[in-house]
Amino acid sequence: MSTNEISGSNELCAQDPEVMTFYNLRGSDKTTILRKKELQRLRKERIENKCFRKKEKIRKAKEIVDNALKIREELHPKYLRAEPWLKEQERQRLERNKRFTTEIINQPPDYRGEWDPYVSDDEFGTSFELKRTGWEVEKFALDLARSTVGLESFTGENHLFSCSGTIIEFLNGICSVVTSASLIRCMDKDEQADELKINVWLPSGEKREGFISNVDLYYNICLVTVHCTSNLPKKSFNDDTGFFDLYGNHSKDVVALGRSCEPWSLKVASGKLIPRRHRFDCEELLVSSCKITKIGVGGPLMDFNGNIVGMNFYDKKETPFLPSFIVLKCLQHFKEFGKVVRPLHGLRVGNLHKESLASLEKICHEFPKVCGVIVEKVEPSAEHSEIKVGDIITHLDGIAFSNAAEFGGILLDRCVTQMLEKQNLSEDCNQMISLKFSVKTRGGISEATTRTINTDKFTPSGLNRWPLPRPIIVRQYARGVLFSEDCYS
C-alpha cells in the first residue's frame, strides 16, 4: 500500500465513524494510540541510552589500553619492537643457512638389511602418555622408573651406543643391570667391541662406571655390574607365561620405559601386545605397538599391573621384545654356567598367529583348537626326524606350549636339567640331549606323532641378526670451509 493510499484512508476514517470502525479492527481510541506511541518513544530512548553507555565504556577501555601502551613504550621501548626484531632474526638465520650445503656421506651398510636412521628422543611417547590410562598405571610406571637406568658405551674416545636397562639385583654395594647386548656389540660384526668403557646413569643423574659381567649375542642380552654405595631399588622380571597367551581374554595393554643419559629423563610409551610378525631372527621375540626410540633399547616393558613382562628392542614400525621368562632363564644360565646354553636342534619355528588368514583357516579346519608352533625351516641336521616344513609342533618332551617363546623356554629348562645332572659345565661338552616332539602333519593323519631329535651341539652365541640403524654423518660447506658432524637424528 502506497503512502497516498494510507493518508486517504486516515481522512476517510476521520469523516465517517463507520469507516473508522471498519479500519480500527482493535477498537482503540485516540488516547490508547497516543499512549502506545509514547511507550514506543520511551523504549527507543532506552535503547539509544544503552548503546551510548556501551560505546562510552568501550571508549574508556580503549583509552586505558592506549595509556598503558604509552607508559610501556616509555619504560621498555623494545617491547613494541619485539615482533619486527624477531622477523629480522629469522631473516638473518635464513640468509646464513643459504651459505651452507649439507651432504650425507655415509651409505647404508649391506649387512644390516633395511636401513633407517634413529628418530629423536622426543618421539618416545609424550609427557602425558599415561594420563588417559589412570593414576594407578602411572604410579606403577613411576615405581619401576626408580630401577630404570640409562647406559652409554664408548670405544676409546668414540661413542658406541646409548640405551636403557633395569636394576635386577643389589648386593654388598654391587648392583646388576640387565640390558641389550647392542650396548657392547661392534657395529659391523657380531662381536664384543674392544676398549669398552660403560657409563651408567642413575635416575638422579649420578653417573657410575659399569663393567661387563655376562653377554649372550643369540638373545642379545647383557649383564652389567655397577659399584654403588647407596642402596638402589631392584625389580624382578615376571616368570608367568599366561600374559603372552594371545588367545586369552586378559588385558594386553603394556607400557615401555626408557631413560636418557641425563637427570630425570624418564621416557614412557603405551601400547598393546599385537600378533604380528617381526623381522628379527630370534624366534622367541614378541611384538608390542609401543613407539620408542633407540634410547628404549634394553628398557623394561610393563603391563598395567606393574609387572615387568619383557625387555625392549628397536624396530622401525613396532617394538619387538624378549619375554620376561626368557630373560629370567638367561640370567639363570649366566649364574649356573656363565653363558646361555641352548640345544641346536635344527628347526626354525614361528608362531601360528603370524600366518595369513587363509593359512590359519586351513589349519583350524584340519586341526580345531590347535596350539603350538609351525615349522618354517628344517636344517640338514634335523632331516632324519622326518619333520617337514608346515608341520605343527604341539608338545616338547610332553610339555604343551602356545607360542615360540614358550617353546624356547622349555629348551632352556631342558638344558639346565641335563647339564646339572651331568655336572659337566665345560664349553665343549659332548652331552647328548634327546628331544621328543609331538607333531601334527598337515594333509596327513589328525593324530599327533612323536619325532625325536638327538643332538650334542649347542646354539652359537651370534646366530641371530639384530639390525640397528646407524648415525648419519653430515658434512657442511661454507665459504670453502668444511665442517663435519655426527648427527643422531
Side-chain angles (χ1 to χ4, degrees), residues 121 150 201-206 259-267:
D121 296 341
W201 291 75
L202 304 181
S204 61
E206 182 181 0
R259 185 176 298 281
S260 301
C261 296
E262 55 187 26
W264 313 116
S265 56
L266 177 66
K267 307 285 185 181

Side-chain angles (χ1 to χ4, degrees), residues 335-382:
K335 184 177 180 180
E336 298 289 347
F337 317 127
K339 60 180 181 179
V340 178
V341 182
R342 188 177 186 273
L344 187 60
H345 48 73
L347 301 177
R348 297 289 295 182
V349 300
N351 294 317
L352 286 174
H353 62 255
K354 297 191 300 184
E355 298 297 313
S356 64
L357 186 61
S359 180
L360 283 176
E361 184 181 16
K362 295 178 182 178
I363 293 174
C364 292
H365 176 73
E366 195 169 359
F367 308 110
K369 298 182 180 179
V370 66
C371 284
V373 296
I374 187 168
V375 179
E376 297 179 343
K377 185 178 180 181
V378 180
E379 300 290 345
S381 60

Side-chain angles (χ1 to χ4, degrees), residues 34-48:
L34 292 175
R35 185 169 61 82
K36 287 183 178 180
K37 289 183 177 180
E38 182 65 17
L39 291 175
Q40 291 177 355
R41 187 188 64 81
L42 293 175
R43 181 173 176 273
K44 183 178 180 181
E45 185 177 348
R46 286 197 302 271
I47 294 174
E48 291 177 352

